[in-house]
């Protein structure tokens, strides 16, 4: 007979021992039932024990809600069950299974989503700066800045710039002034819609239009890249980035960005390559003065994974210099670009092993549907290189030894479900391997990757799919709270910073819970 689990005894066990205990406990119940040793009453007891074992093993399963949290959870679960029930009855409104481009209008009206928008979400740990700001803001502000020019490169991709002599930056055609193009349209709003499509993947028919979505996706970085090196645009854009994250109840972020670029101004002057870091520090300090409950940001330097070994070594040397100059601001290193077409981590070992011992790796690894290739084996090399977190880790579910290593070593996987869907790894989000990771209590944090490129803001949309599609139907506040606290736990905040973050998060969370229970939230 399978005994009832003692919660107090269970909480005292280390995390890995908890998992092994629950697994053996559940297997004992199944073995007893298979041997025909149970009565009808015993069968029900074993059945309940197995269900409890799975729930205890799941992300958030070990967390106990206080009285107020339990009341807020009841309210949240009412919203969730209503939306799931509606989706079950009408496939066209089943947001949990729909592509984000088809579901977004429904999600925007969702009570679950409005709850999540107002929920404190801790830290944003997987975000690329060039695609972090909403495309509508870019159109309404940056495209109206005086002096913006547009051309096309040899592949027909639009390139935007504010340079006086932009011909050196990838142009094949003559530059034209964006302001003149807009005036040539009968309706400026039509031009703005056209312009937004240059930096937004949205389409009402993603299943037809984006058979090669990565090509369009990477083209958009080329389109917007030189605009963001223009000093006035750089400042405005990154201020807006902080605004959008803060307005989505994010208190801290770790921002991935390429740093080996010169800023330039309206007079044609260029600045040393460390100027971008100095600008970001000034923006961060000014933002924190206006928002004392925002804890700031740190930078993870990125470089293209298609580079040569020699180029990678030069980029790492440049990162080393910035890390030494700004040790608590430029904190990590990563490789970016489509993994399937890029070079493997293994091929860059001579360069990656030259990183300073104080540097941290935050490696994209396993962002692929491939199995048994150099791409999914990037996860293996990421672990051998002692990565601090794993970006995406989509293929991790296919490698049980590596999966167990991730759990045993307490390495967080940065989950970005909408990115994986938009970039064609998964269609129905309920089939995302993140569901397995949640079920097995793999260390997880939620990130939004490139929200500006697919008509999103902040991180709430990714939280929506995590709780509605990846988590079981009966999962609520325990999963959400664990993911929020994980975002601080697995951040690179220093101990004093982390202590302050937990204190602030606890206050924000308690205030939010009390407002939900009192009915003071806008849902």
């Amino acid at each position: 007979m399978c005994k009832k689990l003692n919660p107090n005894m269970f909480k005292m066990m280390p995390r890995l021992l908890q998992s092994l205990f629950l697994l053996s406990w559940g297997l004992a119940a199944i073995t007893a039932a298979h041997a025909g040793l149970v009565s009808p009453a015993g069968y029900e007891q074993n059945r309940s024990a197995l269900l409890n074992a799975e729930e205890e093993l799941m992300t958030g399963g070990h967390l106990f809600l206080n009285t107020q949290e339990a009341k807020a959870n009841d309210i949240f679960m009412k919203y969730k069950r209503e939306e799931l029930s509606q989706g079950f009855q009408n496939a066209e409104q089943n947001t949990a299974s729909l592509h984000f481009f088809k579901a977004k209008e429904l999600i925007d009206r969702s009570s679950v989503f409005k709850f999540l928008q107002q929920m404190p979400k801790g830290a944003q740990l997987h975000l690329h700066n060039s695609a972090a700001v909403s495309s509508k803001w870019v159109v309404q502000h940056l495209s109206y800045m005086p002096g913006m020019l547009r051309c096309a490169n040899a592949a027909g991709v639009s390139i935007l710039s504010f340079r006086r002599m932009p011909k050196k930056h990838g142009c094949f055609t003559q530059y034209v002034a964006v302001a003149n193009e807009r005036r040539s349209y009968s309706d400026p709003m039509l031009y703005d819609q056209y312009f937004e499509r240059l930096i937004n993947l949205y389409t009402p028919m993603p299943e037809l239009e984006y058979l090669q979505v990565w090509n369009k996706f990477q083209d958009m970085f080329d389109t917007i890249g030189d605009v963001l090196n223009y000093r006035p645009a750089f400042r405005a854009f990154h201020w807006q980035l902080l605004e959008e994250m803060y307005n989505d109840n994010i208190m801290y972020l770790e921002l991935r960005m390429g740093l080996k670029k010169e800023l330039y101004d309206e007079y044609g002057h260029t600045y040393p390559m460390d100027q971008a870091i100095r600008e970001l520090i000034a923006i961060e300090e000014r933002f924190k003065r206006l928002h004392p409950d925002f804890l700031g940001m740190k930078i993870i330097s990125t470089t293209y994974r298609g580079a040569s070994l020699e180029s990678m070594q030069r980029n790492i040397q440049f990162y080393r210099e910035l890390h030494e100059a700004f040790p608590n601001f430029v904190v990590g290193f990563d490789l970016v670009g489509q993994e399937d077409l890029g070079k493997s981590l293994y091929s860059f070992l001579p360069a990656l092993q030259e990183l300073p011992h104080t540097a941290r790796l935050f490696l994209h690894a396993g962002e692929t549907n491939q199995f048994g290739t150099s791409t999914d084996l990037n996860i293996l090399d990421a672990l051998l290189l002692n990565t601090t977190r794993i970006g995406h880790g989509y293929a991790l579910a296919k490698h049980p030894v590596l999966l167990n290593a991730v759990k045993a070593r307490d390495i967080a996987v940065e989950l970005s479900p909408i990115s994986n869907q938009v970039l064609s790894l998964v269609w129905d989000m309920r089939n995302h391997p993140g569901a397995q990771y949640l079920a097995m209590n793999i260390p997880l944090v939620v990130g939004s990757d490139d929200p500006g490129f697919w008509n999103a803001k902040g991180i709430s949309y990714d939280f929506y799919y995590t709780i509605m599609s990846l988590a079981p139907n009966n999962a609520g506040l325990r999963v959400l709270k664990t993911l929020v606290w994980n975002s601080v736990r697995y951040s690179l905040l220093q101990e004093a910073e982390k202590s302050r973050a937990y204190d602030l998060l606890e206050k924000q969370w308690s205030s939010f819970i009390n407002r939900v229970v009192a009915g003071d939230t806008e849902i």
Side-chain angles (χ1 to χ4, degrees):
M1 191 71 67
C2 187
K3 296 181 180 180
K4 187 175 180 181
L5 178 65
N6 183 328
N8 292 325
M9 177 190 74
F10 181 76
K11 287 171 65 179
M12 293 174 64
M13 296 179 182
R15 178 179 290 186
L16 184 59
L17 187 58
Q18 289 176 357
S19 302
L20 294 173
F21 177 81
L22 288 170
L23 180 61
S24 61
W25 187 57
L27 288 173
I30 291 175
T31 302
H34 180 68
L37 302 177
V38 292
S39 63
Y43 180 94
E44 293 300 327
Q45 184 176 1
N46 284 342
R47 189 175 190 276
S48 177
L50 285 166
L51 290 173
N52 288 337
E54 283 206 335
E55 188 171 346
E56 290 284 353
L57 183 61
M58 186 180 68
T59 294
H62 62 283
L63 183 69
F64 292 89
L65 302 179
N66 63 33
T67 303
Q68 283 291 90
E69 288 174 325
K71 290 178 182 178
N73 186 57
D74 289 341
I75 294 169
F76 175 79
M77 290 305 298
K78 177 177 178 292
Y79 300 145
K80 181 175 177 177
R81 291 190 185 100
E82 286 176 354
E83 290 186 27
L84 290 173
S85 176
Q86 184 178 28
F88 184 77
Q89 296 170 33
N90 184 349
E92 292 182 355
Q93 296 186 18
N94 190 1
T95 53
S97 70
L98 291 176
H99 191 285
F100 178 61
F101 291 165
K102 293 177 176 289
K104 183 176 182 295
E105 288 187 10
L106 296 170
I107 294 172
D108 286 337
R109 300 195 296 269
S110 154
S111 295
V112 169
F113 181 65
K114 291 174 183 175
F115 181 100
L116 295 172
Q117 280 184 303
Q118 296 171 75
M119 181 183 77
K121 286 173 281 292
Q124 160 78 288
L125 301 182
H126 192 116
L127 183 71
H128 298 270
N129 76 309
S130 301
V133 174
S134 74
S135 57
K136 281 186 170 44
W137 183 89
V138 172
V139 174
Q140 292 165 3
H141 293 82
L142 298 191
S143 81
Y144 280 84
M145 277 186 170
M148 180 180 277
L149 304 172
R150 187 185 71 81
C151 75
N153 65 16
V157 176
S158 287
I159 305 295
L160 302 169
S161 181
F162 288 94
R163 295 182 188 271
R164 290 183 171 186
M165 298 180 64
K167 210 46 170 155
K168 300 177 182 178
H169 295 272
C171 273
F172 184 73
T173 66
Q174 194 70 28
Y175 265 94
V176 294
V178 167
N180 292 341
E181 276 195 324
R182 182 178 282 113
R183 279 193 293 269
S184 71
Y185 270 62
S186 58
D187 184 348
M189 290 183 62
L190 292 176
Y191 180 81
D192 287 353
Q193 291 170 13
Y194 154 76
F195 189 97
E196 188 174 5
R197 287 195 293 272
L198 300 178
I199 52 170
N200 191 323
L201 284 170
Y202 171 78
T203 170
M205 301 291 285
E207 68 276 24
L208 298 178
E209 189 165 340
Y210 287 140
L211 299 177
Q212 298 293 330
V213 65
W214 266 96
N215 294 339
K216 170 68 172 171
F217 175 61
Q218 295 190 146
D219 286 346
M220 293 194 302
F221 287 99
D222 293 335
T223 295
I224 196 70
D226 201 49
V227 162
L228 300 185
N229 295 328
Y230 179 54
R231 196 178 183 193
F234 182 93
R235 291 172 170 174
F237 181 90
H238 288 90
W239 182 270
Q240 179 65 17
L241 189 160
L242 296 185
E243 288 280 9
E244 290 188 7
M245 297 301 141
Y246 182 78
N247 290 340
D248 201 34
N249 288 297
I250 293 165
M251 63 163 62
Y252 164 79
L253 61 100
E254 291 176 6
L255 188 64
R256 283 169 164 90
M257 62 185 297
L259 299 177
K260 206 170 181 183
K261 296 177 181 177
E262 292 181 339
L263 298 185
Y264 63 96
D265 63 21
E266 57 269 42
Y267 305 108
H269 298 151
T270 58
Y271 296 82
M273 283 189 284
D274 65 353
Q275 181 64 29
I277 296 300
R278 300 182 189 281
E279 297 278 351
L280 287 172
I281 291 172
I283 290 167
E284 177 205 44
E285 290 302 320
R286 185 159 60 96
F287 195 88
K288 288 197 298 186
R289 285 196 296 272
L290 290 175
H291 306 285
D293 55 346
F294 183 73
L295 301 182
M297 62 179 165
K298 299 183 192 295
I299 302 301
I300 298 170
S301 177
T302 62
T303 192
Y304 178 52
R305 66 186 331 121
S308 67
L309 179 60
E310 294 74 19
S311 177
M312 185 66 67
Q313 288 171 325
R314 288 194 297 271
N315 289 338
I316 285 175
Q317 177 57 35
F318 179 66
Y319 164 76
R320 179 193 292 271
E321 293 168 5
L322 285 179
H323 178 62
E324 289 174 356
F326 309 97
N328 196 36
F329 194 74
V330 181
V331 294
F333 190 81
D334 189 13
L335 281 67
V336 296
Q338 187 177 7
E339 273 192 82
D340 286 328
L341 298 182
K343 297 176 183 176
S344 68
L345 292 177
Y346 187 71
S347 69
F348 288 121
L349 278 183
L352 293 171
Q353 289 172 335
E354 293 177 5
L355 283 162
H357 72 277
T358 53
R360 299 292 190 96
L361 289 169
F362 298 85
L363 294 169
H364 280 67
E367 189 183 1
T368 181
N369 277 323
Q370 301 291 333
F371 186 19
T373 68
S374 61
T375 308
D376 58 303
L377 289 181
N378 278 334
I379 300 170
L380 168 62
D381 289 297
L383 291 175
L384 292 175
L385 286 163
N386 200 30
T387 189
T388 299
R389 298 191 302 264
I390 293 174
H392 296 288
Y394 188 90
L396 182 62
K398 298 173 182 175
H399 295 276
V401 173
L402 303 182
L403 189 69
N404 287 331
V406 165
K407 188 167 187 176
R409 289 171 56 184
D410 200 28
I411 297 171
V413 175
E414 300 165 348
L415 206 61
S416 298
I418 295 177
S419 173
N420 298 153
Q421 186 187 59
V422 170
L423 297 178
S424 297
L425 291 181
V426 63
W427 182 267
D428 186 331
M429 205 77 84
R430 296 171 299 180
N431 296 325
H432 193 287
Q436 287 178 256
Y437 306 157
L438 284 169
M440 298 175 65
N441 195 24
I442 301 300
L444 295 175
V445 294
V446 179
S448 58
D449 205 15
D450 304 282
F453 279 4
W454 40 76
N455 212 24
K457 279 186 185 180
I459 200 173
S460 290
Y461 290 104
D462 286 276
F463 263 94
Y464 181 89
Y465 275 110
T466 300
I467 198 63
M468 294 294 287
S469 307
L470 276 57
N473 286 7
N474 63 345
L477 214 58
R478 290 197 299 173
V479 170
L480 291 170
K481 185 175 182 180
T482 300
L483 292 171
V484 170
W485 258 253
N486 278 358
S487 72
V488 174
R489 175 181 178 179
Y490 295 106
S491 73
L492 216 60
L493 287 166
Q494 295 181 340
E495 286 307 309
E497 295 172 322
K498 197 169 284 190
S499 177
R500 184 184 169 213
Y502 280 131
D503 289 344
L504 182 58
L505 185 56
E506 191 66 58
K507 292 175 184 176
Q508 291 179 346
W509 183 265
S510 296
S511 174
F512 167 70
I513 293 298
N514 290 336
R515 285 187 285 113
V516 169
V517 173
D520 290 340
T521 51
E522 297 177 6
I523 300 175

